[in-house]
Amino acid sequence: MAGVGGGNDFQWCFSQVKGAIDEDVAEADIISTVEFNYSGDLLATGDKGGRVVIFQREQESKNRPHSRGEYNVYSTFQSHEPEFDYLKSLEIEEKINKIRWLPQQNAAHFLLSTNDKTIKLWKISERDKRAEGYNLKDEEGRLRGDPFRITSLRVPVLMPMDLMVEASPRRIFANAHTYHINSISVNSDHETYLSADDLRINLWHLEITDRSFNIVDIKPANMEELTEVITAAECHPHQCNVFVYSSSKGTIRLCDMRAAALCDRHTKFFEEPEDPSSRSFFSEIISSISDVKFSHSGRYMMTRDYLSVKVWDLNMENRPVETYQVHEYLRSKLCSLYENDCIFDKFECCWNGSDSAIMTGSYNNFFRMFDRSTRRDITLEASRESSKPRALLKPRKVCTGGKRKKDEISVDSLDFNKKILHTAWHPKENVIAVAATNNLYIFQDKIN
């Protein structure tokens, strides 16, 4: 990838937008997670209403050789329903917190989806043939009255039918988390996965639902001594024994399951020393890590805190090798962001397929991209105003003080209700998916 935009680099253009245009957005329709599968041909979204919508990329048409296939709805299903914990008198909401695809092994696709308490393994499969000509059933599928009256046997045949996409729950992994699940991550052995809540991380086998191994437990004997919680966890992309988890204190711990069955003692501890001159009342809140992602190569990991994205080399624990400011202009607004609770928003981040660029979201439906080699960055906006097919996205600039230029937007006029928390980058191409409240925007690089 040459860069993230502007100059001689390629430019991003609008491809599609999914979702209703209504001003009044139903809470259930707000997108809560976005994930491409390993090939990038399927794109899954989960929402606060417990639904999973899968989009499939259409094959490129011969009539339009330069156009890449669009994503259209492939399957929609209700993954989770609202529940009630009678022991604790708590409602368990149906909101999908995370979706993770499993690598494809056969014609069917599998994905894991989770709400606060229960993880489900879903199989998504196609049916385009049906069996006809049964001996013991009539054409309607009812059993025939007297099987002894059948004098001849016939061989049932498969007849073509309209394509049906079926989603069926194959496994339900429940009752293992006391606190809210914030992460699930499929291991590189493709047999196990981990799930993390505020205080514990469990390791599961995909075939076994009635037990899991607790591999991290940071719950203190006295809950009044609790000083930090787990905010995110992820398995290493190539080494099935290695995983990381981040904390609300801005630290990341790397653990090796070969060292001990219980990984309370970490192998590596990543923390950046705090600059005493910039310490404030909000320092601890804004240093909390909201997302951690390994690079595809497995050499680096990226963490997102409230104001910045940091890239860490796994071989260097004392400081990040790269730091990118996402919206430094908000530092002066932390007081009002604390009052309206925006300071607790959890932004995610993602790598492009070659690990040369990273993307994360901001407010006002802005999202940011950073080119790691040139250190250039760009701010783009997910907006219906530029939603004409192939319309180029214009870089946006935020004015932090002084005289505002014509194309700039003032910090005071940013809309903090419009936020891009969830983004995904196609694993092989420059195609990105950006969730803006109840709309899913898909952008791609401009094809000449």
Side-chain angles (χ1 to χ4, degrees), residues 78-112:
Q78 188 72 31
S79 172
H80 287 71
E81 302 277 359
E83 294 174 61
F84 193 79
D85 185 333
Y86 293 98
L87 287 174
K88 296 182 179 165
S89 295
L90 283 176
E91 284 185 32
I92 302 166
E93 56 179 8
E94 64 274 37
K95 174 191 163 206
I96 308 292
N97 291 343
K98 285 284 185 289
I99 289 173
R100 289 290 179 263
W101 290 92
L102 273 63
Q104 192 176 1
Q105 312 284 3
N106 52 33
H109 298 274
F110 289 85
L111 63 80
L112 289 165

PDB file of all heavy atoms in Angstrom, residues 78-112:
ATOM      1  N   GLN A  78     -31.175 -13.960  13.988  1.00  0.00           N
ATOM      2  CA  GLN A  78     -31.177 -13.501  15.379  1.00  0.00           C
ATOM      3  C   GLN A  78     -30.213 -14.376  16.158  1.00  0.00           C
ATOM      4  O   GLN A  78     -30.460 -15.562  16.372  1.00  0.00           O
ATOM      5  CB  GLN A  78     -32.594 -13.606  15.962  1.00  0.00           C
ATOM      6  CG  GLN A  78     -32.757 -12.970  17.331  1.00  0.00           C
ATOM      7  CD  GLN A  78     -32.732 -11.438  17.291  1.00  0.00           C
ATOM      8  OE1 GLN A  78     -33.150 -10.836  16.306  1.00  0.00           O
ATOM      9  NE2 GLN A  78     -32.229 -10.830  18.349  1.00  0.00           N
ATOM     10  N   SER A  79     -29.105 -13.801  16.561  1.00  0.00           N
ATOM     11  CA  SER A  79     -28.088 -14.595  17.249  1.00  0.00           C
ATOM     12  C   SER A  79     -28.385 -14.734  18.741  1.00  0.00           C
ATOM     13  O   SER A  79     -28.294 -15.819  19.301  1.00  0.00           O
ATOM     14  CB  SER A  79     -26.715 -13.942  17.048  1.00  0.00           C
ATOM     15  OG  SER A  79     -25.736 -14.553  17.842  1.00  0.00           O
ATOM     16  N   HIS A  80     -28.729 -13.624  19.394  1.00  0.00           N
ATOM     17  CA  HIS A  80     -28.988 -13.637  20.835  1.00  0.00           C
ATOM     18  C   HIS A  80     -30.319 -12.960  21.152  1.00  0.00           C
ATOM     19  O   HIS A  80     -30.727 -12.038  20.448  1.00  0.00           O
ATOM     20  CB  HIS A  80     -27.862 -12.915  21.590  1.00  0.00           C
ATOM     21  CG  HIS A  80     -26.585 -13.687  21.638  1.00  0.00           C
ATOM     22  ND1 HIS A  80     -25.785 -13.873  20.532  1.00  0.00           N
ATOM     23  CD2 HIS A  80     -25.957 -14.324  22.662  1.00  0.00           C
ATOM     24  CE1 HIS A  80     -24.721 -14.584  20.880  1.00  0.00           C
ATOM     25  NE2 HIS A  80     -24.798 -14.872  22.153  1.00  0.00           N
ATOM     26  N   GLU A  81     -30.967 -13.446  22.183  1.00  0.00           N
ATOM     27  CA  GLU A  81     -32.224 -12.869  22.678  1.00  0.00           C
ATOM     28  C   GLU A  81     -31.973 -12.264  24.058  1.00  0.00           C
ATOM     29  O   GLU A  81     -31.068 -12.706  24.766  1.00  0.00           O
ATOM     30  CB  GLU A  81     -33.307 -13.963  22.813  1.00  0.00           C
ATOM     31  CG  GLU A  81     -33.614 -14.716  21.525  1.00  0.00           C
ATOM     32  CD  GLU A  81     -34.600 -13.973  20.631  1.00  0.00           C
ATOM     33  OE1 GLU A  81     -35.050 -12.882  21.029  1.00  0.00           O
ATOM     34  OE2 GLU A  81     -34.903 -14.488  19.541  1.00  0.00           O
ATOM     35  N   PRO A  82     -32.793 -11.268  24.451  1.00  0.00           N
ATOM     36  CA  PRO A  82     -32.628 -10.757  25.821  1.00  0.00           C
ATOM     37  C   PRO A  82     -32.959 -11.842  26.848  1.00  0.00           C
ATOM     38  O   PRO A  82     -33.876 -12.637  26.640  1.00  0.00           O
ATOM     39  CB  PRO A  82     -33.616  -9.592  25.889  1.00  0.00           C
ATOM     40  CG  PRO A  82     -34.553  -9.776  24.748  1.00  0.00           C
ATOM     41  CD  PRO A  82     -33.836 -10.569  23.707  1.00  0.00           C
ATOM     42  N   GLU A  83     -32.167 -11.882  27.916  1.00  0.00           N
ATOM     43  CA  GLU A  83     -32.390 -12.895  28.960  1.00  0.00           C
ATOM     44  C   GLU A  83     -32.456 -12.200  30.320  1.00  0.00           C
ATOM     45  O   GLU A  83     -32.175 -11.009  30.427  1.00  0.00           O
ATOM     46  CB  GLU A  83     -31.245 -13.910  28.975  1.00  0.00           C
ATOM     47  CG  GLU A  83     -31.158 -14.775  27.716  1.00  0.00           C
ATOM     48  CD  GLU A  83     -29.916 -15.640  27.734  1.00  0.00           C
ATOM     49  OE1 GLU A  83     -29.793 -16.459  28.667  1.00  0.00           O
ATOM     50  OE2 GLU A  83     -29.057 -15.482  26.852  1.00  0.00           O
ATOM     51  N   PHE A  84     -32.783 -12.982  31.338  1.00  0.00           N
ATOM     52  CA  PHE A  84     -32.839 -12.435  32.695  1.00  0.00           C
ATOM     53  C   PHE A  84     -32.151 -13.400  33.640  1.00  0.00           C
ATOM     54  O   PHE A  84     -32.431 -14.597  33.639  1.00  0.00           O
ATOM     55  CB  PHE A  84     -34.298 -12.214  33.130  1.00  0.00           C
ATOM     56  CG  PHE A  84     -34.426 -11.376  34.372  1.00  0.00           C
ATOM     57  CD1 PHE A  84     -34.298  -9.999  34.309  1.00  0.00           C
ATOM     58  CD2 PHE A  84     -34.629 -11.968  35.609  1.00  0.00           C
ATOM     59  CE1 PHE A  84     -34.404  -9.213  35.458  1.00  0.00           C
ATOM     60  CE2 PHE A  84     -34.733 -11.201  36.755  1.00  0.00           C
ATOM     61  CZ  PHE A  84     -34.617  -9.813  36.684  1.00  0.00           C
ATOM     62  N   ASP A  85     -31.191 -12.871  34.399  1.00  0.00           N
ATOM     63  CA  ASP A  85     -30.500 -13.675  35.408  1.00  0.00           C
ATOM     64  C   ASP A  85     -31.298 -13.565  36.705  1.00  0.00           C
ATOM     65  O   ASP A  85     -31.247 -12.550  37.394  1.00  0.00           O
ATOM     66  CB  ASP A  85     -29.065 -13.148  35.584  1.00  0.00           C
ATOM     67  CG  ASP A  85     -28.239 -14.017  36.522  1.00  0.00           C
ATOM     68  OD1 ASP A  85     -28.848 -14.663  37.397  1.00  0.00           O
ATOM     69  OD2 ASP A  85     -27.004 -14.046  36.384  1.00  0.00           O
ATOM     70  N   TYR A  86     -32.019 -14.633  37.036  1.00  0.00           N
ATOM     71  CA  TYR A  86     -32.911 -14.583  38.200  1.00  0.00           C
ATOM     72  C   TYR A  86     -32.145 -14.582  39.512  1.00  0.00           C
ATOM     73  O   TYR A  86     -32.622 -14.065  40.517  1.00  0.00           O
ATOM     74  CB  TYR A  86     -33.894 -15.755  38.159  1.00  0.00           C
ATOM     75  CG  TYR A  86     -34.868 -15.646  37.013  1.00  0.00           C
ATOM     76  CD1 TYR A  86     -34.653 -16.333  35.823  1.00  0.00           C
ATOM     77  CD2 TYR A  86     -35.990 -14.815  37.110  1.00  0.00           C
ATOM     78  CE1 TYR A  86     -35.528 -16.207  34.751  1.00  0.00           C
ATOM     79  CE2 TYR A  86     -36.873 -14.682  36.050  1.00  0.00           C
ATOM     80  CZ  TYR A  86     -36.642 -15.384  34.881  1.00  0.00           C
ATOM     81  OH  TYR A  86     -37.501 -15.247  33.822  1.00  0.00           O
ATOM     82  N   LEU A  87     -30.948 -15.167  39.521  1.00  0.00           N
ATOM     83  CA  LEU A  87     -30.169 -15.188  40.759  1.00  0.00           C
ATOM     84  C   LEU A  87     -29.684 -13.796  41.123  1.00  0.00           C
ATOM     85  O   LEU A  87     -29.650 -13.427  42.297  1.00  0.00           O
ATOM     86  CB  LEU A  87     -28.962 -16.122  40.601  1.00  0.00           C
ATOM     87  CG  LEU A  87     -29.273 -17.624  40.593  1.00  0.00           C
ATOM     88  CD1 LEU A  87     -28.014 -18.407  40.292  1.00  0.00           C
ATOM     89  CD2 LEU A  87     -29.859 -18.066  41.927  1.00  0.00           C
ATOM     90  N   LYS A  88     -29.309 -13.028  40.118  1.00  0.00           N
ATOM     91  CA  LYS A  88     -28.754 -11.694  40.391  1.00  0.00           C
ATOM     92  C   LYS A  88     -29.739 -10.579  40.065  1.00  0.00           C
ATOM     93  O   LYS A  88     -29.407  -9.404  40.201  1.00  0.00           O
ATOM     94  CB  LYS A  88     -27.478 -11.489  39.572  1.00  0.00           C
ATOM     95  CG  LYS A  88     -26.378 -12.450  39.975  1.00  0.00           C
ATOM     96  CD  LYS A  88     -25.123 -12.200  39.181  1.00  0.00           C
ATOM     97  CE  LYS A  88     -24.038 -13.157  39.614  1.00  0.00           C
ATOM     98  NZ  LYS A  88     -22.944 -13.211  38.675  1.00  0.00           N
ATOM     99  N   SER A  89     -30.940 -10.944  39.609  1.00  0.00           N
ATOM    100  CA  SER A  89     -31.956  -9.958  39.205  1.00  0.00           C
ATOM    101  C   SER A  89     -31.380  -8.959  38.208  1.00  0.00           C
ATOM    102  O   SER A  89     -31.526  -7.747  38.352  1.00  0.00           O
ATOM    103  CB  SER A  89     -32.510  -9.214  40.425  1.00  0.00           C
ATOM    104  OG  SER A  89     -33.193 -10.121  41.242  1.00  0.00           O
ATOM    105  N   LEU A  90     -30.704  -9.492  37.190  1.00  0.00           N
ATOM    106  CA  LEU A  90     -30.090  -8.650  36.171  1.00  0.00           C
ATOM    107  C   LEU A  90     -30.591  -9.018  34.795  1.00  0.00           C
ATOM    108  O   LEU A  90     -30.726 -10.211  34.469  1.00  0.00           O
ATOM    109  CB  LEU A  90     -28.555  -8.824  36.181  1.00  0.00           C
ATOM    110  CG  LEU A  90     -27.763  -8.122  37.278  1.00  0.00           C
ATOM    111  CD1 LEU A  90     -26.292  -8.498  37.161  1.00  0.00           C
ATOM    112  CD2 LEU A  90     -27.918  -6.617  37.189  1.00  0.00           C
ATOM    113  N   GLU A  91     -30.860  -7.999  34.000  1.00  0.00           N
ATOM    114  CA  GLU A  91     -31.184  -8.259  32.596  1.00  0.00           C
ATOM    115  C   GLU A  91     -29.895  -8.460  31.821  1.00  0.00           C
ATOM    116  O   GLU A  91     -28.918  -7.738  32.011  1.00  0.00           O
ATOM    117  CB  GLU A  91     -31.956  -7.072  32.007  1.00  0.00           C
ATOM    118  CG  GLU A  91     -33.398  -7.018  32.450  1.00  0.00           C
ATOM    119  CD  GLU A  91     -34.169  -5.899  31.744  1.00  0.00           C
ATOM    120  OE1 GLU A  91     -33.835  -5.611  30.584  1.00  0.00           O
ATOM    121  OE2 GLU A  91     -35.061  -5.332  32.378  1.00  0.00           O
ATOM    122  N   ILE A  92     -29.882  -9.459  30.939  1.00  0.00           N
ATOM    123  CA  ILE A  92     -28.735  -9.687  30.064  1.00  0.00           C
ATOM    124  C   ILE A  92     -29.163  -9.240  28.676  1.00  0.00           C
ATOM    125  O   ILE A  92     -30.046  -9.848  28.059  1.00  0.00           O
ATOM    126  CB  ILE A  92     -28.322 -11.178  30.057  1.00  0.00           C
ATOM    127  CG1 ILE A  92     -27.982 -11.633  31.482  1.00  0.00           C
ATOM    128  CG2 ILE A  92     -27.142 -11.399  29.117  1.00  0.00           C
ATOM    129  CD1 ILE A  92     -27.884 -13.133  31.638  1.00  0.00           C
ATOM    130  N   GLU A  93     -28.570  -8.146  28.206  1.00  0.00           N
ATOM    131  CA  GLU A  93     -29.033  -7.618  26.920  1.00  0.00           C
ATOM    132  C   GLU A  93     -28.512  -8.470  25.773  1.00  0.00           C
ATOM    133  O   GLU A  93     -27.526  -9.182  25.885  1.00  0.00           O
ATOM    134  CB  GLU A  93     -28.674  -6.140  26.760  1.00  0.00           C
ATOM    135  CG  GLU A  93     -27.223  -5.790  26.911  1.00  0.00           C
ATOM    136  CD  GLU A  93     -26.979  -4.297  26.699  1.00  0.00           C
ATOM    137  OE1 GLU A  93     -27.950  -3.539  26.587  1.00  0.00           O
ATOM    138  OE2 GLU A  93     -25.810  -3.909  26.640  1.00  0.00           O
ATOM    139  N   GLU A  94     -29.225  -8.342  24.656  1.00  0.00           N
ATOM    140  CA  GLU A  94     -28.952  -9.186  23.493  1.00  0.00           C
ATOM    141  C   GLU A  94     -27.839  -8.648  22.606  1.00  0.00           C
ATOM    142  O   GLU A  94     -27.419  -9.304  21.654  1.00  0.00           O
ATOM    143  CB  GLU A  94     -30.241  -9.364  22.671  1.00  0.00           C
ATOM    144  CG  GLU A  94     -30.808  -8.089  22.056  1.00  0.00           C
ATOM    145  CD  GLU A  94     -31.732  -7.298  22.965  1.00  0.00           C
ATOM    146  OE1 GLU A  94     -31.472  -7.235  24.184  1.00  0.00           O
ATOM    147  OE2 GLU A  94     -32.695  -6.721  22.456  1.00  0.00           O
ATOM    148  N   LYS A  95     -27.337  -7.455  22.907  1.00  0.00           N
ATOM    149  CA  LYS A  95     -26.330  -6.782  22.066  1.00  0.00           C
ATOM    150  C   LYS A  95     -25.147  -7.698  21.744  1.00  0.00           C
ATOM    151  O   LYS A  95     -24.574  -8.330  22.626  1.00  0.00           O
ATOM    152  CB  LYS A  95     -25.837  -5.539  22.799  1.00  0.00           C
ATOM    153  CG  LYS A  95     -24.690  -4.828  22.118  1.00  0.00           C
ATOM    154  CD  LYS A  95     -24.087  -3.782  23.046  1.00  0.00           C
ATOM    155  CE  LYS A  95     -22.728  -3.374  22.559  1.00  0.00           C
ATOM    156  NZ  LYS A  95     -21.891  -2.890  23.636  1.00  0.00           N
ATOM    157  N   ILE A  96     -24.778  -7.749  20.466  1.00  0.00           N
ATOM    158  CA  ILE A  96     -23.620  -8.540  20.029  1.00  0.00           C
ATOM    159  C   ILE A  96     -22.343  -7.740  20.308  1.00  0.00           C
ATOM    160  O   ILE A  96     -22.126  -6.682  19.719  1.00  0.00           O
ATOM    161  CB  ILE A  96     -23.695  -8.866  18.507  1.00  0.00           C
ATOM    162  CG1 ILE A  96     -25.048  -9.495  18.136  1.00  0.00           C
ATOM    163  CG2 ILE A  96     -22.538  -9.765  18.083  1.00  0.00           C
ATOM    164  CD1 ILE A  96     -25.292 -10.857  18.692  1.00  0.00           C
ATOM    165  N   ASN A  97     -21.511  -8.250  21.211  1.00  0.00           N
ATOM    166  CA  ASN A  97     -20.276  -7.534  21.553  1.00  0.00           C
ATOM    167  C   ASN A  97     -19.158  -7.784  20.546  1.00  0.00           C
ATOM    168  O   ASN A  97     -18.393  -6.881  20.229  1.00  0.00           O
ATOM    169  CB  ASN A  97     -19.792  -7.954  22.947  1.00  0.00           C
ATOM    170  CG  ASN A  97     -20.708  -7.450  24.043  1.00  0.00           C
ATOM    171  OD1 ASN A  97     -21.506  -6.543  23.825  1.00  0.00           O
ATOM    172  ND2 ASN A  97     -20.621  -8.042  25.214  1.00  0.00           N
ATOM    173  N   LYS A  98     -19.045  -9.018  20.076  1.00  0.00           N
ATOM    174  CA  LYS A  98     -17.963  -9.355  19.136  1.00  0.00           C
ATOM    175  C   LYS A  98     -18.414 -10.487  18.213  1.00  0.00           C
ATOM    176  O   LYS A  98     -19.212 -11.353  18.596  1.00  0.00           O
ATOM    177  CB  LYS A  98     -16.713  -9.832  19.892  1.00  0.00           C
ATOM    178  CG  LYS A  98     -15.917  -8.732  20.584  1.00  0.00           C
ATOM    179  CD  LYS A  98     -15.102  -7.916  19.591  1.00  0.00           C
ATOM    180  CE  LYS A  98     -14.217  -6.892  20.270  1.00  0.00           C
ATOM    181  NZ  LYS A  98     -14.886  -5.765  20.878  1.00  0.00           N
ATOM    182  N   ILE A  99     -17.866 -10.452  16.977  1.00  0.00           N
ATOM    183  CA  ILE A  99     -18.016 -11.562  16.024  1.00  0.00           C
ATOM    184  C   ILE A  99     -16.614 -11.945  15.576  1.00  0.00           C
ATOM    185  O   ILE A  99     -15.794 -11.070  15.284  1.00  0.00           O
ATOM    186  CB  ILE A  99     -18.857 -11.148  14.799  1.00  0.00           C
ATOM    187  CG1 ILE A  99     -20.331 -10.960  15.187  1.00  0.00           C
ATOM    188  CG2 ILE A  99     -18.740 -12.181  13.676  1.00  0.00           C
ATOM    189  CD1 ILE A  99     -21.197 -10.391  14.072  1.00  0.00           C
ATOM    190  N   ARG A 100     -16.328 -13.238  15.538  1.00  0.00           N
ATOM    191  CA  ARG A 100     -15.046 -13.710  15.008  1.00  0.00           C
ATOM    192  C   ARG A 100     -15.298 -14.888  14.059  1.00  0.00           C
ATOM    193  O   ARG A 100     -15.987 -15.840  14.425  1.00  0.00           O
ATOM    194  CB  ARG A 100     -14.110 -14.166  16.140  1.00  0.00           C
ATOM    195  CG  ARG A 100     -13.579 -13.031  16.990  1.00  0.00           C
ATOM    196  CD  ARG A 100     -12.591 -12.152  16.243  1.00  0.00           C
ATOM    197  NE  ARG A 100     -12.096 -11.036  17.037  1.00  0.00           N
ATOM    198  CZ  ARG A 100     -12.581  -9.817  16.996  1.00  0.00           C
ATOM    199  NH1 ARG A 100     -13.621  -9.527  16.231  1.00  0.00           N
ATOM    200  NH2 ARG A 100     -12.043  -8.847  17.716  1.00  0.00           N
ATOM    201  N   TRP A 101     -14.745 -14.790  12.849  1.00  0.00           N
ATOM    202  CA  TRP A 101     -14.886 -15.861  11.864  1.00  0.00           C
ATOM    203  C   TRP A 101     -13.863 -16.965  12.138  1.00  0.00           C
ATOM    204  O   TRP A 101     -12.748 -16.685  12.584  1.00  0.00           O
ATOM    205  CB  TRP A 101     -14.649 -15.328  10.454  1.00  0.00           C
ATOM    206  CG  TRP A 101     -15.713 -14.420   9.942  1.00  0.00           C
ATOM    207  CD1 TRP A 101     -15.751 -13.058  10.045  1.00  0.00           C
ATOM    208  CD2 TRP A 101     -16.914 -14.790   9.235  1.00  0.00           C
ATOM    209  NE1 TRP A 101     -16.887 -12.556   9.445  1.00  0.00           N
ATOM    210  CE2 TRP A 101     -17.616 -13.599   8.948  1.00  0.00           C
ATOM    211  CE3 TRP A 101     -17.446 -16.011   8.825  1.00  0.00           C
ATOM    212  CZ2 TRP A 101     -18.833 -13.595   8.262  1.00  0.00           C
ATOM    213  CZ3 TRP A 101     -18.660 -16.006   8.155  1.00  0.00           C
ATOM    214  CH2 TRP A 101     -19.341 -14.819   7.875  1.00  0.00           C
ATOM    215  N   LEU A 102     -14.263 -18.195  11.829  1.00  0.00           N
ATOM    216  CA  LEU A 102     -13.303 -19.297  11.834  1.00  0.00           C
ATOM    217  C   LEU A 102     -12.800 -19.488  10.406  1.00  0.00           C
ATOM    218  O   LEU A 102     -13.543 -19.227   9.455  1.00  0.00           O
ATOM    219  CB  LEU A 102     -13.965 -20.586  12.318  1.00  0.00           C
ATOM    220  CG  LEU A 102     -13.975 -20.816  13.832  1.00  0.00           C
ATOM    221  CD1 LEU A 102     -14.777 -19.751  14.558  1.00  0.00           C
ATOM    222  CD2 LEU A 102     -14.516 -22.191  14.155  1.00  0.00           C
ATOM    223  N   PRO A 103     -11.546 -19.936  10.225  1.00  0.00           N
ATOM    224  CA  PRO A 103     -11.063 -20.198   8.861  1.00  0.00           C
ATOM    225  C   PRO A 103     -11.952 -21.244   8.195  1.00  0.00           C
ATOM    226  O   PRO A 103     -12.401 -22.194   8.843  1.00  0.00           O
ATOM    227  CB  PRO A 103      -9.649 -20.744   9.071  1.00  0.00           C
ATOM    228  CG  PRO A 103      -9.258 -20.273  10.431  1.00  0.00           C
ATOM    229  CD  PRO A 103     -10.520 -20.195  11.230  1.00  0.00           C
ATOM    230  N   GLN A 104     -12.200 -21.057   6.902  1.00  0.00           N
ATOM    231  CA  GLN A 104     -13.121 -21.953   6.197  1.00  0.00           C
ATOM    232  C   GLN A 104     -12.452 -23.296   5.912  1.00  0.00           C
ATOM    233  O   GLN A 104     -11.352 -23.363   5.374  1.00  0.00           O
ATOM    234  CB  GLN A 104     -13.572 -21.301   4.881  1.00  0.00           C
ATOM    235  CG  GLN A 104     -14.738 -22.035   4.235  1.00  0.00           C
ATOM    236  CD  GLN A 104     -15.237 -21.337   2.981  1.00  0.00           C
ATOM    237  OE1 GLN A 104     -14.691 -20.312   2.587  1.00  0.00           O
ATOM    238  NE2 GLN A 104     -16.253 -21.886   2.344  1.00  0.00           N
ATOM    239  N   GLN A 105     -13.129 -24.379   6.296  1.00  0.00           N
ATOM    240  CA  GLN A 105     -12.585 -25.733   6.086  1.00  0.00           C
ATOM    241  C   GLN A 105     -13.355 -26.482   5.003  1.00  0.00           C
ATOM    242  O   GLN A 105     -12.835 -27.426   4.417  1.00  0.00           O
ATOM    243  CB  GLN A 105     -12.677 -26.553   7.390  1.00  0.00           C
ATOM    244  CG  GLN A 105     -12.157 -25.834   8.626  1.00  0.00           C
ATOM    245  CD  GLN A 105     -10.647 -25.791   8.690  1.00  0.00           C
ATOM    246  OE1 GLN A 105      -9.987 -26.257   7.782  1.00  0.00           O
ATOM    247  NE2 GLN A 105     -10.108 -25.206   9.734  1.00  0.00           N
ATOM    248  N   ASN A 106     -14.607 -26.107   4.770  1.00  0.00           N
ATOM    249  CA  ASN A 106     -15.427 -26.783   3.748  1.00  0.00           C
ATOM    250  C   ASN A 106     -16.386 -25.768   3.142  1.00  0.00           C
ATOM    251  O   ASN A 106     -16.159 -24.563   3.250  1.00  0.00           O
ATOM    252  CB  ASN A 106     -16.175 -27.979   4.369  1.00  0.00           C
ATOM    253  CG  ASN A 106     -16.941 -27.580   5.614  1.00  0.00           C
ATOM    254  OD1 ASN A 106     -17.424 -26.465   5.713  1.00  0.00           O
ATOM    255  ND2 ASN A 106     -17.055 -28.492   6.562  1.00  0.00           N
ATOM    256  N   ALA A 107     -17.442 -26.232   2.528  1.00  0.00           N
ATOM    257  CA  ALA A 107     -18.353 -25.309   1.839  1.00  0.00           C
ATOM    258  C   ALA A 107     -19.073 -24.366   2.802  1.00  0.00           C
ATOM    259  O   ALA A 107     -19.461 -23.265   2.428  1.00  0.00           O
ATOM    260  CB  ALA A 107     -19.374 -26.097   1.034  1.00  0.00           C
ATOM    261  N   ALA A 108     -19.241 -24.782   4.059  1.00  0.00           N
ATOM    262  CA  ALA A 108     -19.954 -23.951   5.035  1.00  0.00           C
ATOM    263  C   ALA A 108     -19.002 -22.946   5.684  1.00  0.00           C
ATOM    264  O   ALA A 108     -17.785 -23.110   5.645  1.00  0.00           O
ATOM    265  CB  ALA A 108     -20.590 -24.834   6.105  1.00  0.00           C
ATOM    266  N   HIS A 109     -19.595 -21.892   6.260  1.00  0.00           N
ATOM    267  CA  HIS A 109     -18.822 -20.887   7.009  1.00  0.00           C
ATOM    268  C   HIS A 109     -19.234 -20.979   8.475  1.00  0.00           C
ATOM    269  O   HIS A 109     -20.392 -21.250   8.798  1.00  0.00           O
ATOM    270  CB  HIS A 109     -19.114 -19.481   6.489  1.00  0.00           C
ATOM    271  CG  HIS A 109     -18.725 -19.275   5.060  1.00  0.00           C
ATOM    272  ND1 HIS A 109     -17.451 -18.913   4.676  1.00  0.00           N
ATOM    273  CD2 HIS A 109     -19.444 -19.389   3.911  1.00  0.00           C
ATOM    274  CE1 HIS A 109     -17.400 -18.816   3.363  1.00  0.00           C
ATOM    275  NE2 HIS A 109     -18.595 -19.090   2.875  1.00  0.00           N
ATOM    276  N   PHE A 110     -18.270 -20.730   9.363  1.00  0.00           N
ATOM    277  CA  PHE A 110     -18.553 -20.752  10.797  1.00  0.00           C
ATOM    278  C   PHE A 110     -18.100 -19.442  11.421  1.00  0.00           C
ATOM    279  O   PHE A 110     -17.056 -18.902  11.045  1.00  0.00           O
ATOM    280  CB  PHE A 110     -17.822 -21.909  11.477  1.00  0.00           C
ATOM    281  CG  PHE A 110     -18.389 -23.266  11.136  1.00  0.00           C
ATOM    282  CD1 PHE A 110     -17.974 -23.936   9.990  1.00  0.00           C
ATOM    283  CD2 PHE A 110     -19.334 -23.865  11.948  1.00  0.00           C
ATOM    284  CE1 PHE A 110     -18.488 -25.173   9.664  1.00  0.00           C
ATOM    285  CE2 PHE A 110     -19.855 -25.116  11.631  1.00  0.00           C
ATOM    286  CZ  PHE A 110     -19.440 -25.764  10.486  1.00  0.00           C
ATOM    287  N   LEU A 111     -18.902 -18.950  12.373  1.00  0.00           N
ATOM    288  CA  LEU A 111     -18.488 -17.758  13.118  1.00  0.00           C
ATOM    289  C   LEU A 111     -18.915 -17.877  14.574  1.00  0.00           C
ATOM    290  O   LEU A 111     -19.874 -18.574  14.911  1.00  0.00           O
ATOM    291  CB  LEU A 111     -19.038 -16.482  12.490  1.00  0.00           C
ATOM    292  CG  LEU A 111     -20.541 -16.221  12.395  1.00  0.00           C
ATOM    293  CD1 LEU A 111     -21.130 -15.702  13.704  1.00  0.00           C
ATOM    294  CD2 LEU A 111     -20.825 -15.197  11.311  1.00  0.00           C
ATOM    295  N   LEU A 112     -18.158 -17.188  15.436  1.00  0.00           N
ATOM    296  CA  LEU A 112     -18.502 -17.078  16.850  1.00  0.00           C
ATOM    297  C   LEU A 112     -19.102 -15.700  17.093  1.00  0.00           C
ATOM    298  O   LEU A 112     -18.587 -14.696  16.590  1.00  0.00           O
ATOM    299  CB  LEU A 112     -17.257 -17.221  17.726  1.00  0.00           C
ATOM    300  CG  LEU A 112     -16.613 -18.603  17.832  1.00  0.00           C
ATOM    301  CD1 LEU A 112     -15.217 -18.479  18.426  1.00  0.00           C
ATOM    302  CD2 LEU A 112     -17.461 -19.541  18.671  1.00  0.00           C
TER     303      LEU A 112
END
